[in-house]
Amino acid sequence: MDINQKKNEKQSDPSNKDCNIGSCQEEKKDPLKKEIELIQGKLEKEKNKFLRLFAEFENYKKRIQKERFDIFRAVHEQIFIDLIPILDDFERGLKELKKSKDELLVKGVSLIQEKLIKILKEKGLNKIKIKKGDDFNTDLHEAISQIPAVTENLKGKIIEIIEAGYILKEKVIRHAKVITGK
């Protein structure tokens, strides 16, 4: 036998302890494949964890922004509620000033009142428009008293307006206080 035949027999012999070229590479690849799959699994878990954490953070930012907006809106609304009695005082004061003969004083106070009303309107505060004889609406009016109606057509209608009501951007912040007919 020559030397080349012996080498071929050694390589083809299954009992040979030396690795065949293909089988040794498969054995080396198999642990590497397992390790790569394990690392890819860990990477996928970390990626999902990161995405969930990122989504939670985005939701947190949106919630905080909404809460901040709600707080500012509530404070804004409370400021308007606190200013409404001042508007009432202006109206009562002007009624009393008109009894006096000092027109410059009446005109000055009237200008201040108009300026305040203009600013509040620009910010969204509007007076509820009602007049005597309108239908009573519980969404806009608060009946503080009922009196017997003079005529049949005034039953359930507004007979007297005691205090004006106000709406702030489509929300009633003070109902108009009225007397209705029964």
Side-chain angles (χ1 to χ4, degrees):
M1 236 199 234
D2 71 5
I3 297 177
N4 286 337
Q5 280 182 331
K6 285 183 180 179
K7 283 184 182 179
N8 284 341
E9 285 177 9
K10 274 187 174 182
Q11 287 177 355
S12 64
D13 183 19
S15 63
N16 186 6
K17 291 184 181 178
D18 291 337
C19 294
N20 291 332
I21 294 172
S23 67
C24 273
Q25 286 179 350
E26 286 177 22
E27 287 176 14
K28 287 180 181 177
K29 284 183 181 178
D30 194 43
L32 287 177
K33 278 186 181 179
K34 287 181 182 177
E35 193 171 332
I36 288 172
E37 289 172 1
L38 183 66
I39 290 172
Q40 285 177 337
K42 287 181 180 179
L43 179 64
E44 194 66 31
K45 283 181 185 177
E46 290 299 319
K47 183 179 174 184
N48 289 337
K49 194 172 164 184
F50 170 75
L51 288 175
R52 274 190 245 108
L53 187 62
F54 185 75
E56 283 180 27
F57 181 69
E58 286 298 315
N59 290 338
Y60 169 77
K61 282 184 1 184
K62 288 177 186 175
R63 188 178 66 244
I64 292 298
Q65 189 175 18
K66 183 184 179 301
E67 287 174 1
R68 181 180 291 149
F69 177 75
D70 290 343
I71 289 171
F72 282 122
R73 188 182 60 204
V75 168
H76 186 249
E77 186 176 302
Q78 188 58 47
I79 290 170
F80 280 101
I81 291 171
D82 292 343
L83 287 175
I84 289 173
I86 295 171
L87 291 175
D88 295 337
D89 291 343
F90 265 112
E91 284 183 27
R92 285 190 290 271
L94 274 176
K95 278 184 184 177
E96 292 301 315
L97 283 176
K98 285 180 182 177
K99 292 178 184 175
S100 75
K101 302 292 184 211
D102 192 357
E103 289 199 22
L104 289 177
L105 184 61
V106 173
K107 186 175 181 182
V109 173
S110 178
L111 288 173
I112 295 169
Q113 179 192 26
E114 288 172 14
K115 190 174 188 179
L116 178 61
I117 290 171
K118 180 184 172 201
I119 291 170
L120 294 176
K121 277 186 179 181
E122 288 174 358
K123 303 300 181 195
L125 184 72
N126 290 305
K127 196 178 217 182
I128 296 174
K129 295 176 182 166
I130 56 171
K131 59 184 183 288
K132 294 178 183 180
D134 285 350
D135 289 330
F136 177 74
N137 182 349
T138 57
D139 293 335
L140 302 173
H141 311 127
E142 177 184 342
I144 59 170
S145 181
Q146 286 187 334
I147 58 172
V150 179
T151 60
E152 195 66 30
N153 64 344
L154 286 178
K155 285 187 178 180
K157 306 254 182 192
I158 297 171
I159 295 178
E160 186 74 35
I161 301 164
I162 304 300
E163 199 172 63
Y166 290 90
I167 296 175
L168 179 62
K169 295 182 182 175
E170 300 176 13
K171 180 182 177 189
V172 177
I173 59 172
R174 185 173 89 178
H175 292 81
K177 292 182 173 80
V178 298
I179 297 175
T180 60
K182 65 174 178 175

